[in-house]
Amino acid sequence: MRGRPHPLAYLLALLASLIFAAHPAAAQSILRDAETEQLLKDMLAPLVEASELEPGNVEVVLINDGSINAFVAGGQAIYVHSGLIGAADTANEVQGVLAHELGHITAGHAVRFEERTKAANGISILSLLLGVGAVLAGAGDAGLGILAAGQQAAIGSFLSFNRDQEAATDLAGYRYLSGAGISGKGMITFFEKLRGNEIRAGYSQADEAAYSRTHPLTGDRIQVLRGLLESDPAWDTPPDPELQQRFVRAKAKLYGFLAEPPRTLAAYPPSDTSAAARYARAYAYHKDARIDMAIAETDALLAAEPDNPWFLELKGQVLLESGRPREALAPLRRATELTLSHPLIAGLLGHALIATEDPANFAEAEGVLRASVQKDRYNPFAWYQLGVVYEARGDIPRARLASAEVQVMNRQYPQALANAQAAEAYLPYGSPDWIRAQDVALEARAELERVKNRR
């Protein structure tokens, strides 16, 4: 027969759980796609202008996560889950979500979230210390009571703060949609979808359940926002047909990339000859190693829109990844030209040039890859390919600098520091690459010190 656990043991175990809970969640994988990133950027631009933030300073990052979510985690970046794109039916719905998340940025909620978390932890730790004191004094039940009351106060304080933030951000989202002249219908329909999902999942919509939620009751949010948005002059503004077409294509593309081929072909059967369906099927066939069928879909897309850079990129990608890099060069060169050397497409062209294994192509590869990383330094794939070119040419210092760039992004700080220092030692003194090697070494060293201090 087991005896009742000692109250002090319970308190110490809970303290350990609080400490572990403070550790950040594991990083989620980021999806990079030139077309989708440009679409999200264009969706966001009028909202940023209405918010009076600096244009171009807010970015949208696509996360590979099937749940319906978007969030802000510090800085001026909005993280959108792939599941949200899949759940939305219109570009206007996504814009409603972006407007809401933009409100979190303008209000500085990420910073205030950390402050409020510390405040809630302060209540928890204080109650824990008082509870331990009561237990040591011999009043075990009183100690547990103090602990329970403190935890309830901490949780209640935190959740109330979060609900207030969400309600305020809903209103900010309304203002930005209105200021941009964008209808709020999408915001309402997306909230209705969320409410339907909550009901199907068994989450109570009753008022008495509101105190235990991180967000206000969805029904209440809809009621408040509907009253504001329906009276807004932009309510009956028709959606942008071009933006909607781009959204439907990007959504299909994402589905084809992430879903298993049979699911994609069931959702987008061959009888559907729309551009979106062909897009999805091209990815499905490519993943299923049916290369001729994938190329047939891309050729059909290009027959209708021969200068569509995203279709050209897709054809080049399919050819390259199917072991036909020479054939991939023409569509990728054209896509790079049409997008003014978009860093992701230029990086893919550089990879194709290297994959030909023809040294005559390496000078062009170096040029497009350098252009890629100058526009988007946080592109480990392009840095890796650039390192391959440098090594093939015998330029070991720059090859080691490219390796350091990749390693610091992958949080391999000891290796990044070693390669950056080796590159700095042999690069021309004062050159841009020499200065960059110093910067990477400083970044890696600072991260190593931070890890050391945490220990």
Side-chain angles (χ1 to χ4, degrees):
M1 186 178 227
R2 293 183 179 176
R4 180 182 178 185
H6 192 280
L8 180 57
Y10 173 79
L11 292 172
L12 293 175
L14 187 54
L15 175 60
S17 71
L18 289 171
I19 294 171
F20 284 119
H23 290 177
Q28 295 163 297
S29 62
I30 294 174
L31 291 171
R32 300 294 311 271
D33 175 65
E35 179 182 13
T36 306
E37 289 179 4
Q38 188 61 52
L39 170 64
L40 292 171
K41 181 180 178 180
D42 292 345
M43 284 182 177
L44 184 65
L47 299 170
V48 172
E49 184 177 354
S51 74
E52 299 185 354
L53 290 172
E54 286 295 321
N57 283 0
V58 182
E59 62 176 328
V60 187
V61 180
L62 186 61
I63 301 292
N64 185 8
D65 190 308
S67 60
I68 304 172
N69 194 25
F71 62 93
V72 171
Q76 294 192 167
I78 299 172
Y79 296 85
V80 176
H81 285 201
S82 57
L84 188 147
I85 301 296
D89 291 316
T90 66
N92 188 229
E93 289 182 353
V94 178
Q95 283 184 304
V97 174
L98 294 177
H100 172 92
E101 296 302 328
L102 193 58
H104 282 301
I105 292 176
T106 56
H109 283 169
V111 175
R112 296 184 64 203
F113 176 88
E114 293 180 4
E115 293 172 354
R116 197 63 190 184
T117 302
K118 290 178 182 177
N121 283 343
I123 296 172
S124 299
I125 292 170
L126 177 60
S127 67
L128 183 66
L129 295 175
L130 291 174
V132 170
V135 170
L136 294 176
D141 290 338
L144 291 175
I146 292 170
L147 174 67
Q151 293 299 307
Q152 186 174 8
I155 293 170
S157 170
F158 178 78
L159 293 179
S160 174
F161 167 76
N162 206 64
R163 289 193 299 273
D164 290 344
Q165 277 194 340
E166 292 297 329
T169 305
D170 285 346
L171 297 179
Y174 148 70
R175 291 197 303 272
Y176 302 151
L177 287 168
S178 176
I182 297 172
S183 173
K185 289 180 180 178
M187 178 178 269
I188 296 297
T189 57
F190 201 79
F191 270 133
E192 287 173 342
K193 287 179 180 177
L194 293 179
R195 185 168 182 266
N197 288 342
E198 290 175 356
I199 292 171
R200 285 191 292 274
Y203 293 115
S204 174
Q205 300 294 303
D207 290 341
E208 59 268 19
Y211 80 94
S212 63
R213 297 169 59 101
T214 59
H215 289 55
L217 291 170
T218 306
D220 293 343
R221 300 171 79 178
I222 293 172
Q223 185 175 0
V224 171
L225 285 170
R226 188 184 294 278
L228 293 169
L229 291 167
E230 286 185 348
S231 62
D232 187 78
W235 176 256
D236 289 320
T237 300
D240 182 335
E242 181 185 357
L243 202 64
Q244 177 61 18
Q245 180 193 63
R246 291 170 62 193
F247 170 73
V248 170
R249 291 181 179 185
K251 178 179 176 178
K253 181 181 190 179
L254 185 64
Y255 192 93
F257 178 75
L258 293 176
E260 291 300 314
R263 290 186 59 197
T264 300
L265 296 175
Y268 298 94
S271 57
D272 185 348
T273 58
S274 66
R278 291 191 183 280
Y279 228 163
R281 287 198 300 273
Y283 276 96
Y285 291 141
H286 181 40
K287 289 170 67 175
D288 215 20
R290 291 189 271 179
I291 305 307
D292 289 343
M293 297 180 74
I295 294 297
E297 296 289 0
T298 63
D299 285 343
L301 290 169
L302 286 166
E305 299 179 43
D307 282 333
N308 185 309
W310 320 122
F311 296 165
L312 288 161
E313 177 198 18
L314 174 58
K315 181 171 183 178
Q317 179 184 354
V318 171
L319 289 167
L320 171 61
E321 294 176 356
S322 303
R324 296 154 67 178
R326 291 184 184 277
E327 296 175 60
L329 295 181
L332 289 177
R333 282 190 178 116
R334 182 60 178 151
T336 301
E337 177 187 352
L338 289 167
T339 58
L340 303 178
S341 295
H342 188 288
L344 295 181
I345 299 177
L348 194 61
L349 172 58
H351 177 35
L353 289 162
I354 295 168
T356 63
E357 299 182 352
D358 183 352
N361 287 329
F362 283 14
E364 182 185 357
E366 180 183 351
V368 296
L369 289 167
R370 284 191 72 94
S372 174
V373 297
Q374 284 171 1
K375 288 187 175 182
D376 181 5
R377 185 162 289 278
Y378 300 101
N379 186 347
F381 176 78
W383 276 115
Y384 174 80
Q385 297 299 325
L386 192 53
V388 171
V389 173
Y390 288 142
E391 186 173 7
R393 287 177 38 198
D395 190 345
I396 303 305
R398 286 184 174 81
R400 297 198 70 168
L401 175 56
S403 294
E405 295 277 8
V406 175
Q407 288 158 349
V408 81
M409 281 183 274
N410 290 333
R411 301 184 180 183
Q412 298 171 312
Y413 300 119
Q415 299 94 318
L417 179 59
N419 275 316
Q421 288 175 328
E424 181 187 348
Y426 290 97
L427 286 167
Y429 181 84
S431 67
D433 287 333
W434 181 84
I435 294 171
R436 181 57 192 168
Q438 283 193 322
D439 291 343
V440 174
L442 286 171
E443 182 180 352
R445 190 179 291 110
E447 291 295 337
L448 288 170
E449 284 295 322
R450 190 173 291 116
V451 170
K452 181 180 176 181
N453 292 336
R454 280 203 299 264
R455 292 174 180 171

